[in-house]
Amino acid sequence: MIPFVPMPAFEYGQTEVVSPLIRRVIANNPGPFTFTGTGTYIVGRAGAGAGVAVIDPGPLDEAHLAALLHAVEGQSVSHVLVTHTHRDHAPLARPFAAAVGAPILAAPPARTVHVAASLDEEDDETFQPDIFLTGGERLVGDGWTIEAMATPGHASNHLAFILAEENALFSGDHVMGWSTTVVAPPDGDMAAYMASLEAVIARDFETLWPTHGAPITEPGPFLAAYRAHRLGREAQVLARLAAGDRRIADMVPVLYAAVDSRLWPAASLSVWAHLIALERAGIARATPKPSLDADWALA
């Protein structure tokens, strides 16, 4: 079982100091895919005159914009960083960056922006960063150092950001403390997601700061359980194929019987992502092609 982390009490729009170099402001956009809302992180010392970076400004929301501008009042924002272009992370980046006079840094826009079901995970198709990141870049600020880490899978352009001084990772939606991550084809890719997860595990971080939910303060066992869950789900998909299920719509009610049915459209996409990975590995086959409504079978 994944040791999910409960969310402590908080107030929307309030600036919360969560570590010596990190503050957080949570947007009032709760939902089945955003949990309690989008957490925007401010990296750097608190206090007048300090230079800071801001991660995932969030959805296009005037109240959240006002809260962020209040949080950085009297400070210099040098970088606006975006983990990926989904609309609960990216749309506020441009208005916020314009207000504080800072560039937006993110991976290039996703190669495919449409998913097969209506989710809060859809892309902001208008998003365009000022500076492209691909992973490995180091940004040095006022008492802090951030490294961009490529973590594709949830989205093809997903980045995480490492805060070197605290051995911490801002994990975006790649790893979340309250839920597993949606991997939604055609942009989401399960094989890429698992490779990214292995890369995060190898870095041995002390803390993970997801954009949604509470921090993960014991990443080792949490990530091991996260990986085991994905591998277990793959085994369950293979078992459904062996039992004769041919359609994703037949598998999901069995595989996700204990999950809120509002999440079944997203669950269908995750099952599809597993099947695509299995098809590429030569373990499963699809007729006529590996689509969401294909007929699937063991190869």
Side-chain angles (χ1 to χ4, degrees), residues 245-272:
D245 286 351
R246 294 292 177 261
R247 310 274 293 192
I248 292 173
D250 297 327
M251 299 179 196
V252 168
V254 179
L255 297 177
Y256 292 86
V259 175
D260 186 340
S261 60
R262 293 180 301 166
L263 301 179
W264 284 4
S268 296
L269 297 173
S270 282
V271 171
W272 185 25

Short mmCIF file of all heavy atoms in Angstrom, two decimals, residues 245-272:
data_model
loop_
_atom_site.label_atom_id
_atom_site.label_comp_id
_atom_site.label_asym_id
_atom_site.label_seq_id
_atom_site.Cartn_x
_atom_site.Cartn_y
_atom_site.Cartn_z
N ASP A 245 -10.81 -10.40 -20.92
CA ASP A 245 -11.25 -9.03 -21.18
C ASP A 245 -10.55 -8.50 -22.43
O ASP A 245 -9.33 -8.67 -22.58
CB ASP A 245 -10.94 -8.12 -20.00
CG ASP A 245 -11.87 -8.35 -18.82
OD1 ASP A 245 -12.85 -9.09 -18.98
OD2 ASP A 245 -11.60 -7.77 -17.75
N ARG A 246 -11.29 -7.85 -23.28
CA ARG A 246 -10.71 -7.34 -24.52
C ARG A 246 -10.78 -5.83 -24.63
O ARG A 246 -10.10 -5.24 -25.45
CB ARG A 246 -11.44 -7.97 -25.72
CG ARG A 246 -11.22 -9.47 -25.85
CD ARG A 246 -9.77 -9.77 -26.23
NE ARG A 246 -9.48 -11.19 -26.30
CZ ARG A 246 -8.90 -11.89 -25.31
NH1 ARG A 246 -8.59 -11.26 -24.19
NH2 ARG A 246 -8.66 -13.17 -25.46
N ARG A 247 -11.61 -5.21 -23.83
CA ARG A 247 -11.82 -3.77 -23.93
C ARG A 247 -11.45 -3.09 -22.61
O ARG A 247 -11.68 -3.64 -21.52
CB ARG A 247 -13.29 -3.47 -24.24
CG ARG A 247 -13.87 -4.23 -25.41
CD ARG A 247 -13.62 -3.57 -26.71
NE ARG A 247 -14.35 -2.30 -26.81
CZ ARG A 247 -14.49 -1.63 -27.94
NH1 ARG A 247 -13.96 -2.10 -29.07
NH2 ARG A 247 -15.15 -0.49 -27.97
N ILE A 248 -10.89 -1.90 -22.72
CA ILE A 248 -10.54 -1.14 -21.53
C ILE A 248 -11.77 -0.85 -20.69
O ILE A 248 -11.73 -0.91 -19.45
CB ILE A 248 -9.81 0.16 -21.94
CG1 ILE A 248 -8.45 -0.17 -22.54
CG2 ILE A 248 -9.67 1.12 -20.75
CD1 ILE A 248 -7.72 1.02 -23.14
N ALA A 249 -12.90 -0.59 -21.35
CA ALA A 249 -14.14 -0.31 -20.63
C ALA A 249 -14.60 -1.49 -19.77
O ALA A 249 -15.30 -1.30 -18.78
CB ALA A 249 -15.24 0.06 -21.62
N ASP A 250 -14.19 -2.71 -20.12
CA ASP A 250 -14.52 -3.88 -19.30
C ASP A 250 -13.54 -4.05 -18.15
O ASP A 250 -13.91 -4.60 -17.10
CB ASP A 250 -14.50 -5.14 -20.17
CG ASP A 250 -15.54 -5.11 -21.27
OD1 ASP A 250 -16.61 -4.53 -21.04
OD2 ASP A 250 -15.26 -5.64 -22.36
N MET A 251 -12.31 -3.61 -18.34
CA MET A 251 -11.29 -3.79 -17.31
C MET A 251 -11.43 -2.80 -16.16
O MET A 251 -11.24 -3.16 -14.99
CB MET A 251 -9.89 -3.62 -17.94
CG MET A 251 -9.56 -4.61 -19.02
SD MET A 251 -7.90 -4.29 -19.69
CE MET A 251 -7.97 -5.22 -21.21
N VAL A 252 -11.74 -1.54 -16.47
CA VAL A 252 -11.68 -0.48 -15.46
C VAL A 252 -12.62 -0.73 -14.28
O VAL A 252 -12.19 -0.58 -13.12
CB VAL A 252 -11.94 0.89 -16.12
CG1 VAL A 252 -12.18 1.96 -15.06
CG2 VAL A 252 -10.75 1.27 -16.99
N PRO A 253 -13.89 -1.12 -14.47
CA PRO A 253 -14.75 -1.34 -13.30
C PRO A 253 -14.24 -2.43 -12.37
O PRO A 253 -14.53 -2.41 -11.17
CB PRO A 253 -16.10 -1.74 -13.92
CG PRO A 253 -16.07 -1.13 -15.28
CD PRO A 253 -14.65 -1.25 -15.73
N VAL A 254 -13.48 -3.38 -12.91
CA VAL A 254 -12.91 -4.44 -12.08
C VAL A 254 -11.63 -3.94 -11.39
O VAL A 254 -11.47 -4.09 -10.17
CB VAL A 254 -12.60 -5.69 -12.93
CG1 VAL A 254 -11.97 -6.77 -12.07
CG2 VAL A 254 -13.86 -6.20 -13.60
N LEU A 255 -10.76 -3.34 -12.16
CA LEU A 255 -9.47 -2.91 -11.62
C LEU A 255 -9.62 -1.76 -10.64
O LEU A 255 -8.82 -1.62 -9.71
CB LEU A 255 -8.54 -2.49 -12.77
CG LEU A 255 -8.14 -3.57 -13.76
CD1 LEU A 255 -7.28 -2.98 -14.86
CD2 LEU A 255 -7.42 -4.71 -13.06
N TYR A 256 -10.62 -0.90 -10.85
CA TYR A 256 -10.78 0.31 -10.03
C TYR A 256 -12.10 0.30 -9.27
O TYR A 256 -12.71 1.35 -9.04
CB TYR A 256 -10.69 1.56 -10.92
CG TYR A 256 -9.31 1.79 -11.50
CD1 TYR A 256 -8.92 1.16 -12.68
CD2 TYR A 256 -8.39 2.61 -10.87
CE1 TYR A 256 -7.65 1.36 -13.22
CE2 TYR A 256 -7.12 2.81 -11.38
CZ TYR A 256 -6.76 2.19 -12.56
OH TYR A 256 -5.50 2.38 -13.08
N ALA A 257 -12.51 -0.88 -8.84
CA ALA A 257 -13.79 -1.01 -8.13
C ALA A 257 -13.82 -0.19 -6.85
O ALA A 257 -14.88 0.30 -6.44
CB ALA A 257 -14.06 -2.48 -7.82
N ALA A 258 -12.67 0.00 -6.20
CA ALA A 258 -12.62 0.72 -4.94
C ALA A 258 -12.36 2.21 -5.11
O ALA A 258 -12.22 2.95 -4.13
CB ALA A 258 -11.53 0.12 -4.04
N VAL A 259 -12.30 2.68 -6.37
CA VAL A 259 -11.97 4.08 -6.66
C VAL A 259 -13.23 4.84 -7.04
O VAL A 259 -14.13 4.29 -7.69
CB VAL A 259 -10.93 4.14 -7.81
CG1 VAL A 259 -10.66 5.57 -8.23
CG2 VAL A 259 -9.63 3.47 -7.37
N ASP A 260 -13.30 6.10 -6.62
CA ASP A 260 -14.40 6.98 -6.98
C ASP A 260 -14.66 6.90 -8.49
O ASP A 260 -13.75 7.09 -9.30
CB ASP A 260 -14.02 8.41 -6.58
CG ASP A 260 -15.15 9.42 -6.78
OD1 ASP A 260 -16.07 9.15 -7.55
OD2 ASP A 260 -15.07 10.50 -6.16
N SER A 261 -15.89 6.60 -8.89
CA SER A 261 -16.19 6.42 -10.31
C SER A 261 -15.97 7.69 -11.13
O SER A 261 -15.84 7.61 -12.35
CB SER A 261 -17.63 5.93 -10.48
OG SER A 261 -18.56 6.87 -9.95
N ARG A 262 -15.91 8.86 -10.46
CA ARG A 262 -15.58 10.09 -11.19
C ARG A 262 -14.18 10.03 -11.78
O ARG A 262 -13.86 10.75 -12.73
CB ARG A 262 -15.68 11.31 -10.26
CG ARG A 262 -17.07 11.64 -9.77
CD ARG A 262 -17.01 12.86 -8.86
NE ARG A 262 -16.15 12.63 -7.71
CZ ARG A 262 -15.72 13.61 -6.89
NH1 ARG A 262 -16.04 14.87 -7.13
NH2 ARG A 262 -14.95 13.31 -5.86
N LEU A 263 -13.34 9.18 -11.21
CA LEU A 263 -11.96 9.05 -11.69
C LEU A 263 -11.81 7.95 -12.73
O LEU A 263 -10.70 7.75 -13.25
CB LEU A 263 -11.02 8.80 -10.50
CG LEU A 263 -11.00 9.87 -9.42
CD1 LEU A 263 -10.06 9.48 -8.30
CD2 LEU A 263 -10.62 11.22 -9.99
N TRP A 264 -12.88 7.24 -13.06
CA TRP A 264 -12.75 6.15 -14.03
C TRP A 264 -12.33 6.62 -15.42
O TRP A 264 -11.58 5.90 -16.09
CB TRP A 264 -14.05 5.35 -14.10
CG TRP A 264 -14.23 4.43 -12.93
CD1 TRP A 264 -13.41 4.31 -11.84
CD2 TRP A 264 -15.28 3.49 -12.73
NE1 TRP A 264 -13.89 3.37 -10.96
CE2 TRP A 264 -15.04 2.84 -11.48
CE3 TRP A 264 -16.42 3.13 -13.46
CZ2 TRP A 264 -15.90 1.85 -10.97
CZ3 TRP A 264 -17.26 2.14 -12.97
CH2 TRP A 264 -17.00 1.51 -11.74
N PRO A 265 -12.77 7.79 -15.90
CA PRO A 265 -12.23 8.24 -17.19
C PRO A 265 -10.70 8.37 -17.17
O PRO A 265 -10.03 7.97 -18.12
CB PRO A 265 -12.91 9.58 -17.42
CG PRO A 265 -14.19 9.47 -16.67
CD PRO A 265 -13.85 8.68 -15.43
N ALA A 266 -10.17 8.91 -16.07
CA ALA A 266 -8.71 9.00 -15.94
C ALA A 266 -8.10 7.62 -15.79
O ALA A 266 -7.03 7.33 -16.35
CB ALA A 266 -8.34 9.87 -14.75
N ALA A 267 -8.78 6.74 -15.05
CA ALA A 267 -8.28 5.37 -14.90
C ALA A 267 -8.22 4.65 -16.24
O ALA A 267 -7.29 3.88 -16.51
CB ALA A 267 -9.18 4.60 -13.92
N SER A 268 -9.21 4.91 -17.10
CA SER A 268 -9.19 4.30 -18.44
C SER A 268 -7.95 4.70 -19.20
O SER A 268 -7.34 3.88 -19.91
CB SER A 268 -10.43 4.73 -19.22
OG SER A 268 -11.61 4.28 -18.61
N LEU A 269 -7.55 5.95 -19.04
CA LEU A 269 -6.35 6.42 -19.73
C LEU A 269 -5.09 5.78 -19.17
O LEU A 269 -4.16 5.45 -19.92
CB LEU A 269 -6.28 7.94 -19.63
CG LEU A 269 -7.43 8.69 -20.31
CD1 LEU A 269 -7.35 10.18 -20.00
CD2 LEU A 269 -7.43 8.46 -21.81
N SER A 270 -5.05 5.57 -17.85
CA SER A 270 -3.89 4.90 -17.27
C SER A 270 -3.79 3.45 -17.74
O SER A 270 -2.69 2.95 -18.03
CB SER A 270 -3.94 4.96 -15.74
OG SER A 270 -3.56 6.23 -15.28
N VAL A 271 -4.94 2.76 -17.81
CA VAL A 271 -4.93 1.39 -18.33
C VAL A 271 -4.46 1.40 -19.79
O VAL A 271 -3.66 0.54 -20.20
CB VAL A 271 -6.33 0.77 -18.20
CG1 VAL A 271 -6.39 -0.58 -18.94
CG2 VAL A 271 -6.69 0.58 -16.73
N TRP A 272 -4.94 2.34 -20.55
CA TRP A 272 -4.50 2.48 -21.94
C TRP A 272 -3.00 2.68 -22.00
O TRP A 272 -2.31 2.07 -22.84
CB TRP A 272 -5.26 3.64 -22.58
CG TRP A 272 -5.01 3.84 -24.05
CD1 TRP A 272 -4.59 2.92 -24.96
CD2 TRP A 272 -5.19 5.06 -24.77
NE1 TRP A 272 -4.49 3.49 -26.21
CE2 TRP A 272 -4.86 4.81 -26.12
CE3 TRP A 272 -5.60 6.34 -24.41
CZ2 TRP A 272 -4.91 5.79 -27.10
CZ3 TRP A 272 -5.66 7.32 -25.39
CH2 TRP A 272 -5.32 7.05 -26.72
#
